[in-house]
Amino acid sequence: MTSTGSTGSVATPARPPSSGPPRGPGGEPPPRAAETRTGLAGLFALPGLAVRAVVRSAAATPGRLTVIAVGLVLLALITGIIGAISVQGKKDTINELIDHREPLAVAAQQVYRSLSDADATAASAFLATGTEPPALRSRYELDVAQAGSALAKAASDAGGVPEAAAQVDVINQQFPVYTGLIETARANNRQGFPAGASYLREASELMRTKILPAAADLYRIDTERLMTEQDDATDVPWVAGVLVLALLGSLIATQVYLKRRTNRVLNVGLLVATGAVVLALLWSAVALVVQGIAVGSGSENGTRQVDLAVQARISAQQARADETLTLVARGDGAKYEKEFTELTTKMVGQDGKGGLLGELRSLAADAGNTEQVDRAITEAGVWLQAHRKVRENDDVGKYAEAVSLAIDERQAEGSTGAFLRMDESLVEVIKDGRQEFLDETSFADGALTLLAPGVAVLAVIAAAGATMGIRERLMEYR
C-alpha cells in the first residue's frame, strides 16, 4: 500500500540497474572501440595491415599511381644492385683466372714436367761412360730445383683442397728419397760398382709408382679448377637478365596504363627510365657476349692446347726414360720397352699422326697455327726411327753403338737430338698457348670495363625517371 502525502504526489519505485552494455541516446549500442594487438601478435599483424592499407590506397587513382611508382623504384634499384654484383663477380673471376688460377696450373704443370725430365735425364747420364756429362748433370739439377720451387707455389693454394694437399704431401715425402737414391746410384757408378744400376732402377720405380702419379693428380686438379672457373666466367647471369626484362616490361606497361587513363602519349620521366633500361640491356648483352666468346677462345685455343702439349711432352719424357732404362737393364728391360711403346702410341698414335699430337694439331689448325706442332710430329717420327736402330744394335750385341745412338747429341740420326728438337717444339706450343690464354682473357676483362658501375648508374636513372614520370601525373590530382 502507498501513502499519499500532503502534496498529493505518488512515489515511483526505483528501476533496477540494467546488466547490459550502455546504450546511446536512441537506444542503439555505441560503436565498438577498435581492437588493438600488442606484443608479438601485433608484430605479426603488421604485414597484413600494411597490405590492407595498400589495397585501400590503390582503390583510387592517385593511390594506385603511388603504388606503381614505389614498385618501379624498388624494382629498378634491386635490378641495379643484382646486375652490378653479377657483372663485378664475372670481372673478379676473370682477374682471378689471370692473376691466380692460371699461374698455379702452370706451377703444377712445371712440377710434373720437371720430375719427369729429372728421371729421364738421370737415366741418360747413367749410361755415359767415364765422367758424367756436365750438361746432363746440370739439367738434372735444374729439374730438381724447378720442381721444388714450383711445388712450393702449387702447395700455396692446396690447403683448401684436401685431394691436392694429399698429392703435395706425397711428393714432399718421396722426392728427397728419390734424389737420395740417385746420388747413391751415381756414387756406385763412378766406382764401377754394378749396384749403381739397381739403385737407379729403384729410384725410377719410386718416381713412376708414387711421385709422378701424385704430380699428375696435382696437375689434373689444378687444370680442372682452371677450366671450371673459365666455365663460370662464361655463365649467363640469368637472375639479373630476368630482372632487367621485368623492369623493362613494367615500364612499358605503366606507360600504356597512363596513356589509357590520361590520353597522353608521352611521359618524359618514364621515357628516360625506359631508355636507361634499354641502354643497360644492350650494353650488358654486347659486353657479356664478347666476354664469353673471348674466354671460350682462351680456353679452347689456350688452356686446352697447353694441356694437350703438356701431356704429350710428359709422355715423351717418360718414354725417353724408358728408352735409356732399357739399356741400363742390359737385356732385362722388356718392361721398359713395353712402356716405351705404350707411351709413344699415346703420344702419336699407331700411325705416327694421331694420339695427343694429332689432337693438338687439330686444335692448332682451327687457330691457324700448326708450324710448331707439325715440327714436333716430324721430330717424333725421327726419334721413333732412331729408337728402332737403338734396339736393333742392342738386340744384336752392339751395346756401345746402341748407347751412343741413345745419348750422344752429336749423332745425326740419334735419339737425343730428335727428342730434344721435339721437346723444344712442344715448349713453343705451350708458350704460344699460354700467351693466347692471356691475350683472350685480358680482352674479356676489358669488355667488362665500367659495366658494373654503368649498370648501377643506369638503374638509378631509371628509378629517378620513373619517380618523376609518376609524380607529374600525381600533381594533376591536387
Side-chain angles (χ1 to χ4, degrees):
M1 168 182 279
T2 60
S3 61
T4 61
S6 59
T7 60
S9 62
V10 180
T12 303
R15 181 177 297 174
S18 173
S19 60
R23 296 180 176 271
E28 73 280 357
R32 297 178 63 185
E35 294 183 3
T36 60
R37 298 182 182 181
T38 59
L40 191 61
L43 183 63
F44 286 149
L46 287 178
L49 293 173
V51 170
R52 286 194 291 273
V54 170
V55 171
R56 287 195 299 270
S57 176
T61 299
R64 191 175 304 120
L65 291 177
T66 301
V67 171
I68 291 173
V70 172
L72 288 175
V73 170
L74 289 177
L75 182 57
L77 295 178
I78 291 172
T79 301
I81 292 171
I82 293 180
I85 291 174
S86 299
V87 172
Q88 189 60 46
K90 281 187 170 295
K91 192 170 177 64
D92 292 343
T93 298
I94 292 174
N95 290 330
E96 174 80 1
L97 284 171
I98 297 172
D99 299 333
H100 185 67
R101 184 56 51 206
E102 194 268 349
L104 285 174
V106 171
Q109 167 219 312
Q110 183 66 32
V111 172
Y112 193 11
R113 187 213 66 80
S114 296
L115 292 173
S116 181
D117 191 61
D119 192 43
T121 304
S124 297
F126 195 86
L127 282 176
T129 56
T131 306
E132 183 179 20
L136 290 179
R137 181 62 185 172
S138 297
R139 179 166 179 161
Y140 169 80
E141 290 175 346
L142 179 62
D143 283 334
V144 171
Q146 288 180 337
S149 176
L151 182 62
K153 185 173 183 178
S156 66
D157 190 56
V161 184
E163 186 182 2
Q167 310 313 317
V168 171
D169 289 341
V170 169
I171 298 171
N172 277 327
Q173 293 168 10
Q174 299 300 326
F175 192 43
V177 179
Y178 170 83
T179 55
L181 289 170
I182 290 295
E183 293 308 312
T184 303
R186 291 180 64 242
N188 278 272
N189 191 48
R190 281 197 303 267
Q191 300 176 61
F193 297 156
S198 298
Y199 281 112
L200 177 66
R201 288 197 296 270
E202 183 181 352
S204 185
E205 188 70 14
L206 175 63
M207 176 66 76
R208 290 160 179 268
T209 58
K210 292 186 178 180
I211 301 175
L212 283 181
D217 284 342
L218 180 62
Y219 170 67
R220 173 186 56 79
I221 292 167
D222 279 333
T223 301
E224 287 177 352
R225 293 173 73 185
L226 171 62
M227 292 182 175
T228 298
E229 287 198 13
Q230 286 175 318
D231 291 340
D232 291 342
T234 58
D235 285 345
V236 177
W238 292 110
V239 174
V242 169
L243 285 174
V244 171
L245 293 176
L247 176 58
L248 181 60
S250 298
L251 287 169
I252 294 173
T254 300
Q255 292 175 80
V256 171
Y257 169 77
L258 289 178
K259 179 180 179 299
R260 290 176 177 175
R261 297 289 298 181
T262 64
N263 291 322
R264 295 185 181 181
V265 177
L266 295 179
N267 183 298
V268 176
L270 291 178
L271 282 177
V272 169
T274 304
V277 174
V278 170
L279 179 57
L281 180 61
L282 293 177
W283 184 6
S284 300
V286 172
L288 291 174
V289 167
V290 171
Q291 173 258 335
I293 292 174
V295 172
S297 178
S299 176
E300 189 70 10
N301 299 326
T303 304
R304 180 62 180 151
Q305 286 196 40
V306 168
D307 182 43
L308 287 172
V310 167
Q311 292 186 51
R313 192 181 183 204
I314 291 171
S315 295
Q317 290 168 345
Q318 292 176 353
R320 174 64 175 165
D322 283 322
E323 183 177 44
T324 52
L325 286 170
T326 303
L327 295 172
V328 171
R330 294 265 186 155
D332 192 26
K335 178 182 75 171
Y336 300 121
E337 181 62 21
K338 180 182 177 182
E339 289 179 356
F340 178 91
T341 302
E342 291 173 350
L343 288 166
T344 52
T345 300
K346 176 183 177 182
M347 184 176 64
V348 295
Q350 294 287 352
D351 60 355
K353 297 180 181 179
L356 292 169
L357 290 182
E359 189 176 352
L360 178 59
R361 193 191 186 287
S362 297
L363 282 178
D366 292 339
N369 183 19
T370 63
E371 180 182 353
Q372 293 297 337
V373 180
D374 287 338
R375 183 177 175 226
I377 293 173
T378 299
E379 295 300 341
V382 175
W383 176 31
L384 293 179
Q385 182 63 32
H387 176 76
R388 283 190 284 271
K389 291 182 179 180
V390 170
R391 297 309 320 139
E392 288 171 3
N393 279 280
D394 189 32
D395 290 341
V396 299
K398 296 180 179 180
Y399 182 76
E401 289 84 348
V403 170
S404 179
L405 278 171
I407 68 171
D408 192 351
E409 292 185 38
R410 295 169 296 180
Q411 288 273 2
E413 299 180 352
S415 293
T416 300
F419 168 78
L420 292 176
R421 290 191 297 272
M422 180 194 67
D423 190 64
E424 289 171 359
S425 296
L426 290 176
V427 169
E428 291 301 318
V429 172
I430 292 170
K431 288 181 180 178
D432 291 344
R434 284 198 67 196
Q435 191 60 50
E436 182 73 14
F437 164 84
L438 291 172
D439 290 344
E440 293 293 339
T441 309
S442 297
F443 182 75
D445 180 55
L448 299 182
T449 300
L450 298 180
L451 180 58
V455 167
V457 169
L458 289 172
V460 171
I461 292 174
T467 301
M468 294 174 60
I470 300 296
R471 181 174 176 273
E472 183 181 346
R473 297 284 82 84
L474 283 174
M475 293 178 65
E476 297 173 358
Y477 287 89
R478 295 182 180 179

